[in-house]
Amino acid sequence: MAKAAICFLLMFSSSLALAQAKVMNAGEGIGQLVVLSSGDILTNSAKFKKLNPLSIAVFDELPMQLAVIAGAITLRQQNFNSHVQLKAIALKTPNLDISKVEGGLAHPMFQGLQDGDWIRLKLEKSGAIAIERSTQEAAIEFRNQKIKSLKPVRLQSDLMEARILPHAELTAADFVRFGSKAANYAELARSLNTSTRTVVRPGYAVPFFYYQEFLELNPEILDAMEALVRDPLMQKVERIEYREVKLAELREMMVATETKMNPELSARLVEIFDTHVNSTGELRRFKLRSSTNSEDLPNFNGAGLYESHSYKPVNKKGKVRDQAGKIAEVEEALRNVWASVWTLRAYEERTMYRIPHLDVKMGIQINPSFSDEGADGVVITKNILNDPNLPGEGVYLESQRGDTFSVANPDSGVSPERVLVLIDAADKLNVSKYRVHTVGQSNVADNGTEILPHVNPNPVMAEVEIKDLVYQSLKAQIQLESQLDKAQESFTLDLEFKVDSEDTGERQVYLKQARPYLDQ
């Protein structure tokens, strides 16, 4: 790994078409170079924590989470659904993959600049790369102008709904009461589930009402929130450590066990959970997922900003919890999901889009956990490869076997299976016309837990599963396109899926989330 003193890229006021370098996301940014070793990233070092909107980060490993930065350069290969890439698209920042550049940072073309220097990085879709020296003052001015250029996101919320509802009773219009994630999930279920096939597992949604009630039951937390957003030091872009400390203090207040909770909410959720058992008669585990009014929107996807937590009816010793234990488990999950409104990454990204932090309301989507995963991954209902050898309308997906390795946040050295399915644009739901092209193979062993030194010749998903997934995803797109406001000329979905055999005894495709895809 290159150390901080290694010289870096220098191309004064010129463009460079570097064949080995891959422009993942075109864009322009001004910031301070921060060269991060794998150790910095894996240990969440102080240097990694100091990344801020004025940083252009050089990653030796792909980070699992990422705050707002001015640009990214990676020494590890990225996938189209890597967290770094999704953030670059969402924030319209430059993202460059130099994993195939011989020698990496030691390449002769990368000379003249050092860790800590201020640079302007401009990447073009054509592959042209321009880098020149800059200043902190220029970076601050550039960021301010960029914020002004981004269309502000206006949030909506209806706090009057107090019912916990099954997804079967929700529609896309309920996003103002339960959040877009829960509302979109309900539309998925409505459009895909049939009397003979469950593609979206039935679940429930907790409305914004209970987040607001929690704050009102604990006025000291609400006071702390209001003081935080008024604090002038929170507005200083370079004071990232200050913001991190203040936000962590607020979250600690929210997750404390002594906070007041509505006992009827906890009891009702336990009552619901106790009615669900799996095929062997055991109580199911549930996932409580964030469903705010500031994510999964047509103009702001908020991917990775908030957190999910599990409800487990069985303790670590394998015994079913008593009523008090179940209540405590539910309340811990609720507090943690609510507190994730105030993560640093969420605060930073909302600031970019001038979203009033106190307008954010947290609903919760609840669905059964998957426990027998054969594969999981991400689908984009568009041909995003731009490969001249594979032209035409299509659906792109990345999948990984098992549940040890994530597609969206891949571990170093782990490759997913990458597939493009070309479709007939005039007959999208005609499965017989689908043409499956594998463009990359997984290097995870069949057991789903070991990384191989070579690609695994066995596919992660069978062709029939891939075609089924594409068919279900396109049906979902047709349904959601008719329900959501379109902020893009071409409406595209970003979906998460699982292949699981717990309920049916054999592998089956399930969809678990859908959001509008923010294109480059």
Side-chain angles (χ1 to χ4, degrees):
M1 166 59 197
K3 302 207 184 305
I6 287 183
C7 292
F8 204 71
L9 297 73
L10 180 60
M11 299 299 296
F12 287 108
S13 63
S14 65
S15 291
L16 144 71
L18 187 58
Q20 299 94 337
K22 185 174 183 179
V23 173
M24 297 294 295
N25 194 62
E28 183 176 357
I30 303 178
Q32 186 176 36
L33 280 174
V34 182
V35 181
L36 295 155
S37 69
S38 57
D40 287 323
I41 296 163
L42 295 175
T43 64
N44 198 27
S45 71
K47 188 175 185 181
F48 181 71
K49 290 180 179 179
K50 288 181 181 179
L51 289 179
N52 62 63
L54 300 182
S55 302
I56 293 180
V58 184
F59 295 114
D60 189 39
E61 302 282 351
L62 298 183
M64 297 289 282
Q65 297 291 349
L66 183 60
V68 174
I69 56 177
I73 301 169
T74 69
L75 295 164
R76 296 290 180 182
Q77 182 176 338
Q78 297 183 52
N79 304 317
F80 284 105
N81 291 311
S82 296
H83 193 67
V84 174
Q85 172 65 352
L86 293 177
K87 283 301 172 191
I89 293 173
L91 296 172
K92 299 178 174 59
T93 53
N95 179 21
L96 181 66
D97 178 341
I98 62 169
S99 61
K100 296 191 184 306
V101 174
E102 185 178 354
L105 296 183
H107 191 282
M109 290 185 176
F110 302 119
Q111 58 181 338
L113 295 182
Q114 297 182 0
D115 184 23
D117 285 346
W118 293 86
I119 68 165
R120 176 190 296 267
L121 173 64
K122 185 175 182 180
L123 307 179
E124 298 182 8
K125 290 184 178 180
S126 66
I129 302 167
I131 300 175
E132 60 185 24
R133 290 188 181 277
S134 190
T135 64
Q136 181 176 3
E137 292 74 21
I140 293 173
E141 176 61 22
F142 184 88
R143 177 179 182 271
N144 290 339
Q145 291 302 317
K146 181 176 181 178
I147 289 176
K148 291 178 182 178
S149 71
L150 293 174
K151 185 177 180 180
V153 176
R154 301 296 180 225
L155 304 185
Q156 301 180 60
S157 61
D158 177 349
L159 303 178
M160 300 304 293
E161 178 61 75
R163 294 173 297 170
I164 300 169
L165 293 180
H167 287 115
E169 297 182 24
L170 302 182
T171 68
D174 286 306
F175 78 95
V176 296
R177 289 171 283 277
F178 294 88
S180 291
K181 188 177 293 181
N184 291 351
Y185 189 92
E187 287 293 343
L188 280 183
R190 185 183 309 280
S191 59
L192 303 181
N193 289 346
T194 67
S195 60
T196 59
R197 168 86 184 273
T198 297
V199 180
V200 181
R201 285 180 164 178
Y204 301 86
V206 178
F208 299 149
F209 173 91
Y210 291 102
Y211 173 76
Q212 188 66 30
E213 180 190 60
F214 174 73
L215 300 184
E216 292 170 0
L217 287 172
N218 299 276
E220 69 282 1
I221 293 177
L222 189 54
D223 289 345
M225 288 179 178
E226 293 172 347
L228 184 145
V229 299
R230 291 195 306 267
D231 186 344
L233 292 180
M234 293 291 291
Q235 314 307 318
K236 291 187 176 295
V237 64
E238 70 276 11
R239 296 296 298 269
I240 188 78
E241 292 172 282
Y242 181 85
R243 288 194 293 280
E244 181 183 35
V245 169
K246 289 297 182 180
L247 289 164
E249 290 174 351
L250 176 57
R251 293 195 304 276
E252 287 174 6
M253 291 179 66
M254 296 181 71
V255 301
T257 55
E258 59 267 24
T259 55
K260 296 182 178 68
M261 300 283 290
N262 181 338
E264 293 181 2
L265 169 63
S266 309
R268 175 59 181 145
L269 288 174
V270 170
E271 180 183 12
I272 289 172
F273 296 155
D274 280 349
T275 66
H276 291 268
V277 296
N278 60 21
S279 57
T280 62
E282 298 171 317
L283 287 172
R284 282 191 181 275
R285 293 182 294 114
F286 281 84
K287 182 73 76 173
L288 281 70
R289 309 187 72 201
S290 68
S291 183
T292 68
N293 59 344
S294 61
E295 62 183 317
D296 294 357
L297 303 175
N299 56 344
F300 184 78
N301 70 6
L305 297 188
Y306 310 108
E307 296 178 359
S308 302
H309 285 266
S310 296
Y311 166 79
K312 299 175 182 177
V314 176
N315 63 26
K316 293 180 179 179
K317 295 181 179 180
K319 294 184 178 181
V320 175
R321 301 178 192 274
D322 60 18
Q323 183 70 4
K326 291 175 181 177
I327 292 290
E329 180 80 354
V330 165
E331 292 185 346
E332 180 181 3
L334 290 170
R335 290 188 188 100
N336 277 279
V337 176
W338 287 334
S340 71
V341 169
W342 299 94
T343 62
L344 175 64
R345 58 187 181 275
Y347 187 91
E348 298 287 84
E349 195 160 322
R350 292 196 303 260
T351 298
M352 281 287 292
Y353 281 86
R354 289 174 281 168
I355 296 175
H357 301 290
L358 293 176
D359 288 354
V360 178
K361 306 301 176 186
M362 176 67 82
I364 298 177
Q365 177 193 310
I366 299 173
N367 51 264
S369 298
F370 291 88
S371 60
D372 193 12
E373 294 180 30
D376 73 345
V378 178
V379 181
I380 307 297
T381 57
K382 179 180 179 179
N383 182 354
I384 62 174
L385 289 186
N386 298 317
D387 186 338
N389 297 315
L390 295 171
E393 191 158 343
V395 175
Y396 176 77
L397 60 121
E398 293 180 356
S399 61
Q400 191 57 271
R401 52 177 48 87
D403 62 354
T404 301
F405 301 106
S406 168
V407 168
N409 295 302
D411 291 9
S412 175
V414 179
S415 300
E417 181 171 87
R418 301 170 55 232
V419 173
L420 176 68
V421 180
L422 295 177
I423 64 174
D424 184 338
D427 197 10
K428 293 183 178 182
L429 299 183
N430 190 335
V431 178
S432 67
K433 295 183 178 181
Y434 293 172
R435 297 294 177 262
V436 178
H437 300 271
T438 301
V439 295
Q441 294 174 291
S442 167
N443 64 346
V444 172
D446 290 341
N447 62 16
T449 60
E450 298 176 56
I451 304 173
L452 301 174
H454 51 77
V455 297
N456 186 338
N458 298 324
V460 172
M461 296 174 65
E463 185 168 303
V464 66
E465 293 173 338
I466 292 172
K467 289 183 176 180
D468 179 40
L469 174 61
V470 170
Y471 173 78
Q472 301 295 344
S473 299
L474 290 173
K475 278 186 66 179
Q477 175 174 294
I478 292 168
Q479 173 70 11
L480 286 173
E481 185 173 16
S482 69
Q483 298 294 325
L484 302 180
D485 291 332
K486 294 188 292 181
Q488 303 162 260
E489 292 182 6
S490 176
F491 185 80
T492 303
L493 279 184
D494 170 355
L495 304 108
E496 295 181 15
F497 70 91
K498 299 280 187 182
V499 178
D500 190 89
S501 57
E502 179 183 12
D503 290 342
T504 63
E506 56 186 37
R507 287 167 60 105
Q508 181 189 295
V509 168
Y510 294 88
L511 291 177
K512 59 187 285 284
Q513 182 171 321
R515 60 164 65 98
Y517 177 70
L518 298 185
D519 209 347
Q520 298 183 45

